[in-house]
Amino acid sequence: MPEISVIVPVYRAEAFLRKCADSILSQSFSDLELLLVDDGSPDNSGALCDQIAQADGRVRVFHKENGGVSSARNLGMAQARGTYLAFADSDDWLPPNALETLYGALGAAGADTAGGAHYRVEVDGRQEKEPGALPAGTYGPGEIRTGIVDRLLGERMGKPGEVLNGFIWRFLFSREIIQSQNITFAGAYLEDELFLMEYFCYAQKLAMVDQPVYYYLQNPVSVTRRYLPEYMQTFQSFMKAKEALAQRQGLGDNLPLWRENSYWSGLLIAIGNEFAASNAASLAEKRRRIRGICQLPAMAQAIRAIHPQGLGRNKQMVADLVRRRQFFLLSVLYGLKNRK
């Protein structure tokens, strides 16, 4: 059985998949299997998956009806045979020694989980190193709870250094923990954050390294960048699941405003989503929708309870305009932005 299973959901990925797969199969750590999960892709991605598998016996391919990234990852986890699991998105790739670095750190520390930094890659090729979830070192359950779980739960508005993105692809996970606790992905957006929160409630020792272990392409057509008409329904489902997880794990007693912070974060994403250039609605209609979202009881409570500070320049401007209910000016600014 392989030591590491790398799971890659595949959907409309024919332009990127070969580079992603090659970066995994050419790792300096070779005791691995690559699971390519074709999520009913309408292009030639499925056939490309089969070609890659024919060339390397470590590759297994699963074809399924389209069900979204969560269902694809869940299928991969159910079929994985490795002691540890890693994830990659089909438009990204790994440095040559990524898995060796994570596996070595995990073994040296006697840990069940390892994590590292990553490179953010712009479409023009520019790269910038982004820090890992925690500084290099070894962390026990209490430190994991405060350093990762609480930050994901978290009171993040006005605390830029406390914001932790739910990036699953910069970690090496224990398959035993995932299976024994029946941890799965759910939803089409923000699914990584919930997965990480639940997983790290059970992890006992985390080894962190400072080296980048992943190249994250800022793909303009990825799910996180295109207009999502069902975003608010997805976000509300996410908050319901987050509430249930917090209650089940006894989280949040030390973070009394975590819900309001979460709703503010969701609101800023909702605004960016509604004003996405790919949203064909008129500016007036977008403005009407944003006003309606702000009037939802949980959103209105968050706006009353928290005055975000210390955000990036653009996000701070958006938050200030929302608090002053200057939706017309907000729509004008986004309209100008989308013309550029």
Side-chain angles (χ1 to χ4, degrees), residues 220-274:
V221 298
S222 73
V223 69
T224 56
R225 288 174 173 253
R226 65 175 182 263
Y227 174 59
L228 301 173
E230 306 299 321
Y231 169 76
M232 278 308 300
Q233 293 92 318
T234 300
F235 176 73
Q236 288 168 332
S237 296
F238 161 78
M239 283 302 300
K240 184 177 180 180
K242 194 172 184 180
E243 289 267 8
L245 176 60
Q247 184 174 10
R248 191 164 64 246
Q249 296 291 343
L251 306 176
D253 290 345
N254 58 326
L255 300 168
L257 291 176
W258 75 261
R259 293 171 185 83
E260 288 81 358
N261 275 268
S262 296
Y263 274 104
W264 250 115
S265 296
L267 175 58
L268 292 175
I269 296 172
I271 292 170
N273 181 57
E274 284 299 331

Side-chain angles (χ1 to χ4, degrees), residues 50-229:
D50 293 333
Q51 292 173 18
I52 293 170
Q54 289 173 2
D56 195 312
R58 295 174 297 169
V59 182
R60 290 193 290 150
V61 177
F62 303 90
H63 299 282
K64 61 184 286 295
E65 292 184 1
N66 180 251
V69 65
S70 288
S71 67
R73 286 174 178 159
N74 289 340
L75 175 58
M77 290 194 298
Q79 296 293 332
R81 298 179 295 203
T83 306
Y84 301 98
L85 302 184
F87 297 92
D89 291 338
S90 58
D91 50 355
D92 300 331
W93 63 99
L94 278 63
N97 63 345
L99 296 180
E100 181 180 15
T101 297
L102 292 173
Y103 186 79
L106 185 148
D112 49 46
T113 313
H118 72 276
Y119 289 114
R120 187 179 75 249
V121 184
E122 303 295 337
V123 291
D124 62 4
R126 288 179 294 117
Q127 299 177 8
E128 184 172 349
K129 179 182 175 182
E130 298 281 352
L134 291 169
T138 304
Y139 300 88
E143 296 163 312
I144 293 172
R145 178 65 66 98
T146 57
I148 293 184
V149 178
D150 282 355
R151 287 168 63 200
L152 287 169
L153 185 65
E155 295 187 348
R156 58 182 67 187
M157 289 294 104
K159 300 178 181 178
E162 293 299 309
V163 176
L164 179 60
N165 291 310
F167 296 144
I168 60 166
W169 29 251
R170 54 185 180 179
F171 292 101
L172 192 59
F173 299 95
S174 163
R175 184 164 69 95
E176 180 181 1
I177 291 176
I178 290 171
Q179 289 189 335
S180 65
Q181 302 301 330
N182 193 31
I183 304 172
T184 58
F185 292 91
Y189 196 66
L190 300 170
E191 75 288 343
D192 295 9
E193 184 172 314
L194 287 175
F195 181 89
L196 283 183
M197 280 182 62
E198 187 164 13
Y199 178 88
F200 279 113
C201 285
Y202 298 106
Q204 294 300 300
K205 186 177 285 189
L206 167 65
M208 289 295 306
V209 299
D210 186 49
Q211 297 97 307
V213 295
Y214 198 82
Y215 287 99
Y216 176 34
L217 177 65
Q218 302 300 286
N219 184 354
V221 298
S222 73
V223 69
T224 56
R225 288 174 173 253
R226 65 175 182 263
Y227 174 59
L228 301 173

